[in-house]
Amino acid sequence: MLRYFTAGETHGKCLTVIIEGMPSGVRISLDAINEQLARRQKGYGRGGRMLIEKDTAEILSGVRGGITLGSPIAMKIENKDWKNWEEIMGTEKSNGEKSVDCPRPGHADLTGGMKYNHTDLRNVLERASARETAARVAVGALVRQALEPFGIEFLSHVKRIGEVEDAADVNAPGFFENVLNSPVGFGDKESAQKAMEYIDKIKKSGESCGGIVETIVKGVPAGLGSYVHYDRKLDANLAFGVMSVQAIKGVEIGMGFGASEVPGSHVHDEITYEGEFARLSNNAGGIEGGMSNGEDIVVRAAMKPIPTLYNPLKTVNIKDKSVHKATVERSDVCAVPACAVVVEAAVAFEIAKAFLDKFSGDCMADVRAYYEAYKNRIKNF
């Protein structure tokens, strides 16, 4: 089974990740991984940390000559800011500077301190930080390379930032080319300009803003996931993977919550057959009964505003219980475009996991053989 673990703190020496369950024989491009890491660092409204970090991954094990070996894969992403925090975040010695006594509303600070008995809340925020998502983007960028030979493609964009919605049609020609060139991940230039003006306004007021991102997966064969057990349902695992991303407060697939507002005839996708089965619409977002149905998989996520505010909210000092303003750590005003990249990576991992569960094999030759046999069988269903 495909799985991974990450480790590392936001101001620690590095982020590390171990991926287990990749078959042997997958051709790996480190440039493709670093390209995704660079995408994560872009976006209008990012903070000063992005001026310091230039994330690149180093593969430490599990790959030889650009080909996976079938053994666990280890990767490392160095934190360039470590040199400024070595005495504070050292694993053997720490000078105790920059301790955090005043938890930030909306962060893990207070509850994490209570749970793990930390009297310096920096011990919580260092790991709870969205800096960890750099490791997850590296994971998604690596595992999706096992899917590329089968024509599976991942696309993401930003649908909304605060009160500004992208006016572009996702199916319009050149939409995703526009998204890649947009500072806010929009397909419409006028909407993008409004979004940037909105971010500027939010920044001046000491606020932050959230938004909605969408990932579309093309080329997924019907039959990934299962209806027979709750923990094998593809939509359930996608929701889990996306919801685990920092700051995500809602996940929907296809019509999502909109399916509750209209009659069933406006929700369920009619089935047609012209040499193969297909749907006349895709309100289900490519998943029915916990399984992929062969249509595009469409996943949306709602990101809350970043809790660190430069006009901080009221809180309480955990040591003397006095009223204070929340601690201000260096932060972004808007990280929604970056969130789109992280959600895309989370979706990529869950799709890769479901794909390799369905077409399991120790090497890519076995995976391809099972895949081809399955495709030939359902062609005649």
Side-chain angles (χ1 to χ4, degrees), residues 2 7 13 29 38 42 55 167 169 194 219 236-237 262 269 330:
L2 191 66
K13 189 172 185 179
S29 166
K42 296 177 181 177
D55 288 336
D169 181 354
K194 291 178 182 177
N237 287 320
V262 295
D269 306 306
R330 180 177 52 209

Side-chain angles (χ1 to χ4, degrees), residues 9-54:
E9 286 73 44
T10 186
H11 295 110
K13 189 172 185 179
C14 65
L15 299 170
T16 56
V17 60
I18 294 177
I19 305 166
E20 183 183 35
M22 280 284 281
S24 68
V26 179
R27 185 168 295 279
I28 297 298
S29 166
L30 189 57
D31 287 343
I33 296 172
N34 290 332
E35 180 182 333
Q36 295 299 319
L37 289 173
R39 284 182 65 211
R40 175 191 166 276
Q41 293 190 278
K42 296 177 181 177
Y44 198 79
R46 301 303 304 274
R49 181 73 183 268
M50 295 303 103
L51 300 176
I52 298 172
E53 304 292 353
K54 297 296 181 185

Side-chain angles (χ1 to χ4, degrees), residues 9-324:
E9 286 73 44
T10 186
H11 295 110
K13 189 172 185 179
C14 65
L15 299 170
T16 56
V17 60
I18 294 177
I19 305 166
E20 183 183 35
M22 280 284 281
S24 68
V26 179
R27 185 168 295 279
I28 297 298
S29 166
L30 189 57
D31 287 343
I33 296 172
N34 290 332
E35 180 182 333
Q36 295 299 319
L37 289 173
R39 284 182 65 211
R40 175 191 166 276
Q41 293 190 278
K42 296 177 181 177
Y44 198 79
R46 301 303 304 274
R49 181 73 183 268
M50 295 303 103
L51 300 176
I52 298 172
E53 304 292 353
K54 297 296 181 185
D55 288 336
T56 56
E58 179 183 358
I59 298 177
L60 305 176
S61 67
V63 178
R64 182 185 182 199
I67 306 294
T68 59
L69 302 176
S71 52
I73 298 170
M75 289 191 289
K76 177 179 76 171
I77 302 169
E78 289 188 357
N79 287 332
K80 302 294 191 300
D81 206 17
W82 163 250
K83 62 184 179 183
N84 300 317
W85 288 80
E86 188 170 359
E87 294 184 1
I88 300 166
M89 292 296 298
T91 56
E92 295 185 9
K93 293 182 180 180
S94 170
N95 61 19
E97 290 183 12
K98 296 193 176 183
S99 63
V100 176
D101 302 327
C102 299
R104 298 161 296 172
H107 265 287
D109 301 354
L110 179 58
T111 307
M114 295 165 66
K115 177 178 174 65
Y116 289 101
N117 197 28
H118 291 310
T119 54
D120 179 359
L121 300 181
R122 177 161 298 285
N123 293 337
V124 178
L125 68 87
E126 284 287 330
R127 176 60 181 169
S129 166
R131 174 69 185 148
E132 185 262 354
T133 62
R136 290 211 248 177
V137 168
V139 170
L142 186 140
V143 300
R144 68 196 286 176
Q145 294 183 51
L147 305 179
E148 289 173 359
F150 303 97
I152 298 176
E153 183 181 11
F154 297 86
L155 303 165
S156 64
H157 66 107
V158 175
K159 287 185 67 68
R160 172 183 286 274
I161 290 178
E163 63 186 30
V164 182
E165 187 168 358
D166 188 3
D169 181 354
V170 70
N171 296 311
F175 175 85
F176 283 102
E177 287 79 2
N178 292 339
V179 166
L180 289 174
N181 294 320
S182 169
V184 291
F186 278 18
D188 178 66
K189 291 182 180 180
E190 290 185 11
S191 299
Q193 183 59 41
K194 291 178 182 177
M196 288 187 286
E197 291 170 359
Y198 176 80
I199 293 168
D200 290 340
K201 180 178 73 172
I202 285 291
K203 183 176 182 179
K204 286 179 182 178
S205 65
E207 288 277 6
S208 61
C209 60
I212 298 173
V213 301
E214 181 176 80
T215 293
I216 300 171
V217 193
K218 295 181 175 293
V220 178
L224 300 192
S226 178
Y227 62 90
V228 302
H229 287 298
Y230 71 92
D231 59 346
R232 297 183 194 172
K233 292 178 180 286
L234 181 60
D235 45 3
N237 287 320
L238 283 168
F240 167 78
V242 173
M243 200 71 180
S244 72
V245 174
Q246 289 86 331
I248 298 301
K249 300 301 287 184
V251 179
E252 63 178 13
I253 295 172
M255 282 187 74
F257 289 102
S260 67
E261 302 170 0
V262 295
S265 61
H266 295 175
V267 174
H268 305 300
D269 306 306
E270 292 184 301
I271 300 172
T272 184
Y273 184 83
E274 293 182 10
E276 61 181 1
F277 290 103
R279 306 302 190 280
L280 296 179
S281 55
N282 191 24
N283 296 325
I287 299 176
E288 292 174 309
M291 301 168 292
S292 59
N293 65 12
E295 302 294 329
D296 292 351
I297 291 176
V298 182
V299 183
R300 282 181 295 280
M303 179 188 186
K304 70 179 181 180
I306 292 169
T308 297
L309 304 178
Y310 287 101
N311 185 16
L313 299 172
K314 287 194 298 185
T315 187
V316 175
N317 185 294
I318 62 170
K319 292 182 177 175
D320 62 18
K321 310 305 185 285
S322 57
V323 176
H324 277 265

